[in-house]
Structures are given as structure tokens and as C-alpha cells.
Amino acid sequence: MSYATTHDDHHDHKPTGITRWLFSTNHKDIGTMYLIFALIMFFVGGAMAMVIRAELFQPGLQFVDPLFFNSMTTMHALVMIFGVVMPAGVGLANWQIPMMVGAPDMALPRMNNMSFWILPFAFTLLLSTLFMKGGAPAGGWTMYPPLTLQTGDALPFLIFAVHLLGISSIMGAINIIATVFNMRAPGMTFMRLPLFVWTWIITAFLLIATMPVLAGAVTMMLTDKFFGTSFFGAAGGGDPVMFQHVFWFFGHPEVYILILPAFGIVSQILPTFARKPLFGYESMVYAAAAIAFLSFFVWAHHMFTVGMPLAGELFFMYATMSIAVPTGVKIFNWMATMWKGSMTFETPMLFAVAFVMLFSIGGFTGLMMGITPADFQYHDTYFIVAHFHYVLVTGAVFALMAGVYFWIPKWTGHMYDETLGKCHFWLSVIFVNVLFFPQHFLGLAGMPRRIPDYNVQFADWNMVSSVGGFVYGFSQLLFVYIVIKCIRGGAKATDQVWEGAHGLEWTLPSPPPFHTFTIPPQVTDATAHS
Amino acid sequence: MNVDKPIVLPVGKKVRLLTTANDVIHAWWVPALGWKRDAIPGFINDNWAIINEPGTYRGQCAELCGKDHGFMPIVLKAVPEDEYNAWVEEMKVAQAEAASGADKEWTMDELKTKGEEIYKNTCAVCHQANGKGVPGTFPALDGGAIVNGPAGEHVKQVLGGKNLMPAFAGQLSDADIAAVITYERNSWSNQTGDVVQPKDVKAAR
């Protein structure tokens, strides 16, 4: 077991001023920066969603022209995926993983600094395209050529932004793997790791495996546009469908990159508030690994309608459905964890329970679309929009919110305002369903996605969905208020914070000193998480 | 939403539908037929259907294809077989006429009448019916430099496209392009007096 050597830091001294943040190598500060960045981007992407829902409030073109509408759908997705869910996940990992495994910091602190500071630059590139000739990218976040090749000045900015985001993610992933593999405290065996750490290791491997694939795909697009190659241009003997294969070979593991850390968070919260150990710890680990492994063999279910051989359609259909097995294991284990527990419903628990239920709805609609012939109808309709918002908003985002409520007392040393937290939860959970549930009906009735105007038969449910969207969107401001209020003060949090909390991070003071576990703790079965 | 030329198909018969595209990827989707299939440049996809009930079936493009993706309707008319056969005959005659039109010399008036129709259907979405375009995005053709410059450049632009302007070589016939160009060069404030013939377009291809 490796003992980390550190200078003996007796006083809790931190650098001050702007350099504390610019040159930070401290996992807690970098985690905070990631989380704040994600929160800001949440509102940037959310504002774009508001434009979309305002335009779709009624049939006809009201507010924006169709090209700008397409830019909004494209940018909303890119911002929410790469600017919100991924950085927020990394932020939580930065804060929690060293404390959970008993390490003084991340293994590669300078790289940690760089992987964060790349993000503002990448998003400056990406968001600056909104003001460019020809507009921001409008070909969808999936960037299919040939359409995306028609992007104006924004195209190289989009591509370089994707490159930077990929580099940042890979560095973050390497860091997490290096930390967990080398810096665990004595006695912290792999099978004693908290599940959040496990899901993050698996996510990190997915990132390393797939981000270069995305980088390759967009680089080929770059050379197609500027250097006369024809990887994806049919006129030059290229293959536009090849882009989709390469993109989704990245894209499907990517959706598990977004959701696996969420699984980890929920697996920490449910046992805490059910006051029971996580049911089936080992099967949870193996299920997460199985989901990640299978994610490499299902990509073509995103593109059943391109026309592929029957054998291919069958293979990808059955491979897709097989993912429901490990996912089902997780859902049943979560339910079994709660079963006969002495549960209390503080805000993190509310979000986590909502996650289990609403993510399952998203999972089921996913299964429906995995059936090839059914997908021939559902594909590219609002049904898929409803599906991925259930897994990404009520799934990933709810879990991230749950994680923040769960750990913020530890980070700040103050309890957040429970009443306001509950208000935030109920507003969110009600209106997110008003927002997304009707989109199932719209999709089944035949409304295609990515259109700024629609047939009047879709008018009613679109209006309902928009109302839900506005209330859900604005109620997130409450979250900002709660977080700020909690940072500035509040009831003093105990070290353990939650009565049922177990694990190394809860043995530290709240808030933890700037440097923690400079002397590694000894972990035994009794002090381990599960 | 409606279309200028609905697809006509016979009922009670297995019909095979081939899809492909010229510019970007689209997806052909009529929900009542039970499937959608992408139309991809460089690919020919096929699928089939048996339509039992005569009538009008509607659908629309399902793959993001640009700013007008939301405005790309599909209308399919299923008719009894004899009606279908009559329609095929009609189309054959029309095609033969169009083919002969490619060689003949057209008069200015003939070209302008045909050209106006094509302009409205194909070009006006961007350049607007009054030829004023959309400032900043789509240039005005009324008084435009290329429209009032040498005819050869004008033909080249429409055949080959430029930046956001799509290429029309694959979508419009020689006669269509000759007509729309003649129309543009002699409408609004443009008074070049030029007559572009289908054979000129053919030569420029």
C-alpha cells in the first residue's frame, strides 16, 4: 500500500486572492470551481431551452428565425452535456474521491488545474460562435455531415472546442484513475471503495476510450471542410453514414459517462437515509462495469433508420436490450436498500428517490426504442426527446442536485435551508414532469424533433410542456439562492452531518481543513463505506 | 402543409420506395406507412409498403436538414390502380415534352412565365418573392451584381451553388435553370434583356 508523502502542514494555510483559484492545485478548490462553472453553464444552457420552449409555446414562428432555433437546440445540448453534467460530475469527484479513499489530494494536482482551466477557454470558443457570421452551429449536437459542413465561420470553433473539451475530460479521467489506483489509504481495498468512487473509475475508463474517437471524427470533418479530403462527402467517394457510426461509438458510452456518476451518487444517498447498508454492493459494482462494457456494442441503435442489414438490426436490438439486465439489477438493489429501512426524507433523499422512479421511466422508454421496428416510428420524434430528458434531467441532473444537497453541509460546514430545499425539490419534480411527460404523447402522435413550427394538432401538449419548462427553469434559481445562503451561513453541521452517514469523508470536520488526510487513515471493515 | 407534386401510388399492391438525397441527409417519414428511412447522399435506401385504403397520407422530413427542416412536408396520394396507370401515362407525356424543350429555342415570354413559377417554388424561400432577399443572410437579386453581370457567371452560381446557396444542377433541368435565370435577369429593376437558352445551360454543366 502506498503512503503518500506530504509536507507536514500543521496550519490550515491557503493561498489568497485570485491566484488561489488560478494556480490552484487543491482538489477542494478545483472541485468548487468545476461546480460553479457547471452551475453557470446550467443557466446558459437553460436560457437556450427557454428560447426553444418559448418558440414552441404556440404553432407558427413567433420569436426566432428557424436557423437560430436550430442553433439553440444544438448549443443547448452541447452546453448541457459538456458544460453542465460532465463538469459537475468531475467537480463532485474532485471534492469527494480523495476524501473517500483517504488521500491527501488528487494524484496529479497540476494536471487537475489544467483540466479545469481548459473549460472556460473551450466554452468561450463555443459560445463566441453565437455572434459569428453564419450563426452558431445549427446542425444538431450530433454534428452529422453533410449538414454540419454547411456551418459558417463557426465550424472550426466548434471543432476546436470539442477537441479542448476532450483533452480536459481525458486529463480528468487519468487523474481519477491514478488517484484511486495509487492513493487509497491502507486497508481501503477495491471492494471497500464507496460506490461513487467505483462508478467514477468506470466512467474514467469510458472517457479515455471514447473521447479520442470523437476527436477523430471531428478532425476528419475539419479536413473535409478545409483540406479537401472526402471522409464523409459522397461526391468524393466518402461515406456520410460512417460519421454516424464513429460518432455514436463515442456517443453511446458518452451517455453512460453522464449517468454512471449519478448512479454512484444515488448509491451513497439511499443507504444513508434508509439507515441500511447498500443492498448487493458487489453486484452493484459488477452491474456498473457490465453496463460500461456493453455500451460499446449498441451504438447503431441511434441510427436504425440509416438502413442496415437485418442481421445488424437484430444484433443491435438484442445488445441494447441486454443492457436492461444490469440496469435492472441496480434498480432492484436500490429498492431493496430502501426496503424496510428507517427512512427519512431530507432533500437529498427526495431527489434520490425521484431519481430512481423517473430514471426508470426513461429506462423503459429506452427499451421501447431499442426495438428496431418500433424505433422506425419513434426515431427523431419528441418521444426520443422525452426519453433522453428523463434519463438526463430527472436522471443525471437530479442526482447531481441530490449530491450537492448531500455533501454541501460537509463542504461549507453549514446545513442548507431544509424548507427551501424541499420547495426546490417539489417545484422541480412536479414541473419537470409537466415539461417532459407530454412530450411522449407528442412523439407518439408524430411530432418530429428539432422543428420550430408544428401542426396545430400538437398545439395543446406543446403549450403544457412549455409552461412546465418555464416553471422548472425559473425554480432552479431557488437552488442558487439555497446554495449561496448555505455558503454564507446556517446551522452548524456536525462532522457526520447525516445520522446514517458512513465512510471516511464523514470522519473529517465540517468544513474539512484545506488539506486533509495528510496522514492516511487506517481503514477497516467497520470504517469502510458499505 | 402541402406540396406542389404529391407522390401518387397504387393501392393494394406492394410498392418499393427508394430514397436518396442530393444535399444533406433527410428522412422520409409517413407515419401511416409504419416506418421512416433516411435519404442519404450517395446511398440508395429501399423499403416497401402495401397501402390498403385510397386517400391522402401525410408526413414530413424527420432528420434535421437545415433551417427549413420544419417545413418539408410529404404528401402521398394512394389511388386505385387504373387511376394510377392513367397518372403514369400523363407524367410520361409531360416528361417527353420537357425533354423536347431542352433542344428547342424558347422565347423570352415563355422563359419568363416558366421561370417565375420555378422562382416562386425554389428560390423565393431565401431570395424572397420580391427579389429583395434577407439582408445579411440572403443577397438581393433585384439589382444584384451577378444577376446584372455576365450571364455565364449567373449560370455557374445556380448550377454549382456557393456557400449557403445550394447547387441546383441535380434538382432542376436545363430548361428550368434557363427559365429561372432569364426571369431573374428581366424582372424587378433588372433589365438586362438577356435570354438564356437551355442549350446554354447544358453547355455550362
Side-chain angles (χ1 to χ4, degrees), chain A residues 400-417:
Chain A
L400 292 167
M401 296 271 176
V404 171
Y405 280 114
F406 186 49
W407 283 308
I408 205 170
K410 171 57 62 186
W411 302 335
T412 62
H414 306 130
M415 298 306 288
Y416 58 86
D417 186 327

Side-chain angles (χ1 to χ4, degrees), chain A residues 45-393:
Chain A
M48 293 170 178
M50 293 296 108
V51 173
I52 295 169
R53 280 323 317 173
E55 181 57 55
L56 293 175
F57 187 67
Q58 285 186 325
L61 292 176
Q62 272 85 358
F63 300 108
V64 293
D65 78 275
L67 194 66
F68 186 73
F69 181 88
N70 291 347
S71 294
M72 285 294 105
T73 55
T74 304
M75 297 290 277
H76 163 73
L78 290 168
V79 168
M80 287 301 195
I81 293 169
F82 293 102
V84 179
V85 178
M86 292 171 75
V90 182
L92 292 178
N94 252 297
W95 254 105
Q96 294 307 127
I97 289 180
M99 297 202 295
M100 284 176 153
V101 303
D105 205 305
M106 297 293 275
L108 307 159
R110 282 199 193 283
M111 195 161 87
N112 204 12
N113 173 291
M114 206 198 307
S115 56
F116 171 75
W117 277 110
I118 283 177
L119 288 181
F121 291 93
F123 275 92
T124 307
L125 283 183
L126 188 64
L127 295 175
S128 68
T129 61
L130 285 165
F131 309 101
M132 280 178 192
K133 182 164 159 267
W141 83 277
T142 51
M143 301 179 275
Y144 286 2
L147 181 63
T148 296
L149 289 172
Q150 294 180 359
T151 308
D153 295 351
L155 186 69
F157 287 80
L158 168 67
I159 290 174
F160 288 132
V162 169
H163 279 152
L164 288 177
L165 292 168
I167 293 169
S168 159
S169 298
I170 291 170
M171 293 200 301
I174 291 173
N175 218 338
I176 285 168
I177 292 173
T179 306
V180 179
F181 277 54
N182 296 308
M183 309 210 2
R184 280 168 292 120
M188 180 57 89
T189 60
F190 271 97
M191 277 309 179
R192 279 178 182 161
L193 287 176
L195 223 88
F196 178 70
V197 180
W198 256 117
T199 53
W200 247 112
I201 304 177
I202 295 166
T203 304
F205 277 105
L206 284 180
L207 279 166
I208 291 179
T210 60
M211 294 312 287
V213 178
L214 175 66
V218 295
T219 307
M220 287 189 267
M221 194 123 86
L222 188 76
T223 64
D224 268 13
K225 175 83 175 187
F226 295 104
F227 304 104
T229 57
S230 290
F231 290 108
F232 307 126
D239 181 345
V241 176
M242 183 56 81
F243 179 88
Q244 301 187 19
H245 282 291
V246 180
F247 179 86
W248 286 113
F249 187 80
F250 145 80
H252 199 80
E254 168 69 15
V255 303
Y256 294 127
I257 290 168
L258 302 174
I259 203 67
L260 282 174
F263 287 175
I265 296 167
V266 170
S267 304
Q268 302 298 131
I269 293 174
L270 291 179
T272 304
F273 294 95
R275 292 164 179 78
K276 272 175 65 194
L278 184 68
F279 186 89
Y281 171 90
E282 288 188 17
S283 65
M284 285 302 231
V285 173
Y286 294 131
I291 291 171
F293 176 74
L294 288 171
S295 75
F296 288 102
F297 307 101
V298 299
W299 76 88
H301 71 210
H302 294 272
M303 38 189 291
F304 279 139
T305 62
V306 297
M308 57 182 113
L310 186 64
E313 290 175 347
L314 286 175
F315 172 81
F316 285 108
M317 172 165 102
Y318 288 124
T320 301
M321 311 212 103
S322 69
I323 294 195
V325 177
T327 314
V329 167
K330 293 191 105 46
I331 306 247
F332 283 116
N333 280 350
W334 287 325
M335 295 201 296
T337 304
M338 290 187 276
W339 184 256
K340 293 196 172 166
S342 47
M343 291 203 282
T344 50
F345 294 94
E346 288 85 345
T347 310
M349 182 63 165
L350 288 172
F351 272 104
V353 173
F355 168 94
V356 176
M357 294 199 281
L358 298 176
F359 176 81
S360 299
I361 294 180
F364 279 128
T365 52
L367 269 180
M368 290 169 73
M369 280 178 301
I371 303 166
T372 313
D375 185 64
F376 287 162
Q377 284 289 28
Y378 305 147
H379 180 77
D380 266 340
T381 65
Y382 259 80
F383 196 76
I384 179 76
V385 177
H387 158 72
F388 65 68
H389 282 102
Y390 265 87
V391 292
L392 287 178
V393 180

